[in-house]
Amino acid sequence: MSPIDAGENYRKIRASLPPEVRIVAAAKTRTPHEVRDVIAAGASIIGENYVQEGELHRASLGDVGRAVEWHMIGHLQRNKINKALPIFDVFQGVDSMKLARAMAKRADGPLRVLVEVNVGGEDSKSGVAFEEAAGLLRGISGLGNLCVEGLMAMEPYCADPEDARPYFKRMRRLQQSLAEDPPPNVALDILCMGMTHSYRVAVEEGANMVRIGTAIFGPRE
Ligand SMILES: *Cc1c(COP(=O)(O)O)cnc(C)c1O
């Protein structure tokens, strides 16, 4: 078995995708050293699921970490907001007014966010219900200091990624319909969907940001 070279994996995936598709290197459970390797290979966005791990990664990487964007891709608990604000550049998992209000109250400047949509309507997943996404965008718009940059979604697990295609299509249509008449402070430029197993299909269906962990760093222990 050859050792995993996260930097080389990143470079191969980068070369295989259109330049306008941004890659979030999903770094949960990885060491600061592994994260450093993918940044050295050109990664410009690191995705974190846990506030504490994000803090550790950033603190360990110093100036190297300041050269990239840090995205919170996990569900942000309201009691972690104060800790998370200085660590992350973008909060991908905003899915309720309760969370958005709590973030807006604590932020001392504009916050960049993506609204997470529960595209499969699964009880086990976070994300605003598909039908409620437009209302949530209007509500967030009214808060004033949250800037929505787009949508994110985690599709239901499908053994065959082809089966995930309808969910990606659904998200693309939602993005397009919301973009027709967005409220103030809301842009719908980013459509973040697709993971190791599914990112190729997601990109075919219009994703311009993908979140990839395993295909870069190898299987998690
Ligand atoms: C872990 C994770 C990913 C990446 O998953 P892989 O299948 O390892 O690529 C993407 N998005 C979120 C929210 C994750 O937690």
Side-chain angles (χ1 to χ4, degrees):
M1 210 182 84
S2 61
I4 284 154
D5 183 340
E8 183 57 20
N9 292 339
Y10 176 83
R11 275 190 291 267
K12 282 188 184 143
I13 295 168
R14 179 66 279 172
S16 76
L17 289 174
E20 66 274 14
V21 176
R22 305 178 72 195
I23 300 171
V24 178
K28 61 175 172 280
T29 76
R30 312 301 178 171
T31 64
H33 189 88
E34 290 173 287
V35 178
R36 183 187 297 271
D37 283 348
V38 295
I39 294 174
S44 57
I45 308 177
I46 306 300
E48 299 283 354
N49 287 73
Y50 309 106
V51 174
Q52 218 161 347
E53 199 171 40
E55 187 179 39
L56 170 76
H57 286 160
R58 277 207 77 154
S60 313
L61 294 179
D63 283 341
V64 172
R66 275 184 278 280
V68 300
E69 277 188 8
W70 296 79
H71 288 207
M72 178 65 182
I73 62 174
H75 190 73
L76 179 61
Q77 291 168 274
R78 273 176 290 130
N79 62 3
K80 299 273 172 67
I81 293 173
N82 282 339
K83 209 169 176 202
L85 285 176
I87 301 172
F88 296 105
D89 302 292
V90 176
F91 292 86
Q92 292 208 359
V94 178
D95 63 356
S96 70
M97 275 311 289
K98 204 167 174 182
L99 175 59
R101 261 191 224 104
M103 291 170 71
K105 205 165 79 186
R106 290 170 180 81
D108 53 12
L111 284 186
R112 300 166 59 197
V113 307
L114 302 184
V115 163
E116 180 173 1
V117 178
N118 187 350
V119 64
E122 297 170 283
D123 291 339
S124 60
K125 290 225 168 80
S126 43
V128 63
F130 195 84
E131 304 71 27
E132 290 163 18
L136 179 57
L137 290 182
R138 280 193 301 274
I140 292 176
S141 172
L143 294 172
N145 61 349
L146 262 54
C147 300
V148 178
E149 299 190 346
L151 305 177
M152 84 87 105
M154 203 192 242
E155 78 282 5
Y157 176 77
C158 301
D160 179 351
E162 271 305 317
D163 295 336
R165 193 179 290 277
Y167 297 106
F168 297 140
K169 279 192 197 292
R170 219 175 158 214
M171 284 301 300
R172 175 73 169 145
R173 282 197 300 267
L174 179 66
Q175 178 201 24
Q176 285 170 334
S177 80
L178 294 171
E180 282 168 17
D181 187 21
N185 299 318
V186 173
L188 288 143
D189 303 326
I190 297 177
L191 184 56
C192 180
M193 55 187 191
M195 309 189 280
T196 288
H197 191 56
S198 59
Y199 72 90
R200 293 192 185 282
V201 178
V203 168
E204 284 168 13
E205 295 303 337
N208 57 11
M209 186 179 280
V210 294
R211 303 177 308 272
I212 304 180
T214 310
I216 294 173
F217 296 104
R220 287 186 285 137
E221 327 259 276

